[in-house]
Amino acid sequence: MTAKLKVGVVGATGMVGQRFISLLAAHPWFELACVAASPQSAGKPYAEAVAGRWSLPGAVPANAARLTVLDAAQVEQVAGQVDFVFCAVDLAKDATATLEEAYAKRETPVVSNNSAHRWTADVPMMIPEVNDGHAQVIDAQRRRLGTTRGFISVKPNCSIQSYVPALHPLRDFGLTKVAVCTYQAVSGAGKTLESWPEMVDNVIPFIKGEEEKSEQEPLKVWGSVSDGRVVNAALPRITAQCVRVPVSDGHLAAVFVAFERKPSKEQILEAWRAYAGTPQALKLPSAPSPFLNYLEDDARPQTKLDRDAGNGQAVSLGRLRPDTVFDWKFVALSHNTVRGAAGGAVLTAELLKAQGYLTAK
Ligand code: NAP
């Protein structure tokens, strides 16, 4: 058996960082070697740094609990201990972009949750089942950065991770217009219902920047690669409304869709049933199978019942029916801090390892 790659989590103490820690507790390919966060946490054992704010079931995994948290800005120190890092810091966009580039230039690949580099044309923004081919822009990115192994790969926003997978196998029917309303959990804001009591018995119809991301990021995910850059797809036109709801985890989306060649209900269900991506073909450790689950019960998917499908990596679909304005409408659900954040990044890293982009130093 080949040795595991040594990985660091930068932003390890936050909501997404904690998910990384839990997903890396017994990962078959990756071994947690280093945790980093802000100067406030630096110097403390990880268990102490997250005391009182560990938000996942069970205790802090033993392999993380005893690690001393490093200052994320000490790039040399962190990079010296790992083959690559996951990044989930909550910093200003410019500062995040600079920090991630510093790691990449120190020959330490970065698989990031952050939005800072999502629009950098030679940075792949991947949903591994949808656009694994975008990894090829890493070669051009390495030339730009002057690195031999360092690069940045990002994952798209959590809000799009249910409806983009659902729409992807339907693109053959000429997807023209999409309207989507997302119902997003409080963990998407790095909070719990306990730490955000104003959300209990409440709905907030505004999430800063989320509608723009929900409308634009799918076009990069569905883009084509030309000359070492991702060129956005022109269609579909997407309009989004994003709403915060009093749910701990799980982003639900109500989706309306129009096609050039309207498929039948059976054709849509068959396209979903049959769809599998490269992660399924390669049997990557975190790949859910099936990727898309259609539930016949009209009252499903529900956040509480269905967000953990496929260990939180699968997408649950339901309520496919004709629409009076668009062609079809349906509901889609994904786990925002697993598939939408840390889990999606871990699956991306597995794909990048399988493709030969992530290697031991
Ligand atoms: P969070 O719970 O607020 O955690 C933020 C993390 O960043 C903590 O580890 C924190 O360390 C660290 N940090 C803060 N200031 C820092 C500094 N000056 N230097 C280094 N590290 C610093 O946030 P989150 O919800 O996990 O989100 C993290 C990132 O992922 C954000 O960019 C967010 O937009 C993105 N994201 C979140 C989700 C989600 O579902 N929550 C989904 C997709 C993407 P300390 O504990 O030491 O302060």
Side-chain angles (χ1 to χ4, degrees):
M1 205 179 102
T2 51
K4 291 185 184 184
L5 295 185
K6 289 190 169 55
V7 63
V9 178
V10 178
T13 49
M15 184 70 79
V16 177
Q18 293 180 22
R19 274 280 172 206
F20 276 119
I21 298 304
S22 122
L23 292 168
L24 293 168
H27 195 279
W29 293 2
F30 308 140
E31 177 192 342
L32 183 69
C34 179
V35 287
S38 79
Q40 282 76 45
S41 302
K44 297 178 186 167
Y46 182 76
E48 185 186 326
V50 295
R53 56 176 170 148
W54 178 254
S55 62
L56 298 174
V60 176
N63 65 333
R66 57 178 174 268
L67 291 176
T68 300
V69 180
L70 302 182
D71 179 348
Q74 301 299 317
V75 175
E76 279 295 322
Q77 200 185 359
V78 176
Q81 301 184 23
V82 298
D83 296 312
F84 75 102
V85 293
F86 290 113
C87 189
V89 290
D90 193 14
L91 281 175
K93 209 165 176 168
D94 285 358
T96 305
T98 304
L99 184 71
E100 291 182 347
E101 218 162 285
Y103 278 96
K105 286 187 171 161
R106 177 60 184 72
E107 298 293 7
T108 303
V110 179
V111 181
S112 178
N113 267 278
N114 298 302
S115 60
H117 276 293
R118 287 188 191 150
W119 291 105
T120 308
D122 59 13
V123 170
M125 177 162 74
M126 291 199 287
I127 297 177
E129 286 85 350
V130 172
N131 61 338
D132 56 293
H134 285 196
Q136 63 184 287
V137 301
I138 288 170
D139 299 329
Q141 188 196 142
R142 281 175 169 159
R143 285 195 291 279
R144 174 175 62 83
L145 294 174
T147 59
T148 53
R149 65 187 306 284
F151 66 87
I152 299 163
S153 163
V154 298
K155 45 157 290 303
N157 200 51
C158 48
S159 60
I160 77 166
Q161 311 250 356
S162 63
Y163 60 89
V164 168
L167 294 174
H168 184 63
L170 309 181
R171 294 185 78 224
D172 292 345
F173 299 108
L175 204 52
T176 53
K177 283 190 284 185
V178 177
V180 59
C181 186
T182 62
Y183 303 85
Q184 302 192 197
V186 297
S187 58
K191 305 255 177 58
T192 62
L193 289 168
E194 290 71 35
S195 67
W196 197 2
E198 297 81 1
M199 272 310 302
V200 175
D201 190 26
N202 201 12
V203 163
I204 297 180
F206 177 64
I207 307 174
K208 194 168 185 289
E210 205 77 349
E211 289 165 356
E212 294 79 354
K213 292 174 187 169
S214 302
E215 292 171 354
Q216 294 162 12
E217 290 186 11
L219 299 176
K220 180 169 179 182
V221 172
W222 283 321
S224 52
V225 173
S226 170
D227 205 15
R229 304 163 65 85
V230 179
V231 180
N232 284 5
L235 287 174
R237 289 170 58 206
I238 303 174
T239 178
Q241 289 209 65
C242 299
V243 177
R244 187 74 70 194
V245 295
V247 160
S248 57
D249 289 313
H251 289 354
L252 190 91
V255 190
F256 304 79
V257 59
F259 297 92
E260 272 166 21
R261 298 172 295 285
K262 182 180 172 180
S264 67
K265 182 171 183 177
E266 291 65 36
Q267 284 176 307
I268 294 175
L269 292 177
E270 178 54 22
W272 285 343
R273 196 198 57 73
Y275 191 72
T278 303
Q280 285 72 32
L282 295 177
K283 295 191 171 17
L284 297 179
S286 304
S289 187
F291 175 39
L292 306 174
N293 290 304
Y294 186 79
L295 302 165
E296 294 290 346
D297 183 344
D298 278 344
R300 306 280 286 275
Q302 295 179 16
T303 46
K304 205 168 175 175
L305 295 181
D306 300 310
R307 63 190 166 209
D308 292 326
N311 292 323
Q313 295 277 22
V315 174
S316 296
L317 305 168
R319 302 210 62 212
L320 176 64
R321 61 215 191 277
D323 185 54
T324 50
V325 175
F326 289 73
D327 290 331
W328 291 100
K329 55 188 165 190
F330 62 91
V331 174
L333 170 72
S334 68
H335 196 304
N336 56 298
T337 63
V338 185
R339 167 57 74 161
V346 169
L347 185 60
T348 301
E350 292 169 4
L351 177 71
L352 290 166
K353 180 180 183 301
Q355 292 171 323
Y357 290 104
L358 284 182
T359 54
K361 272 182 179 166

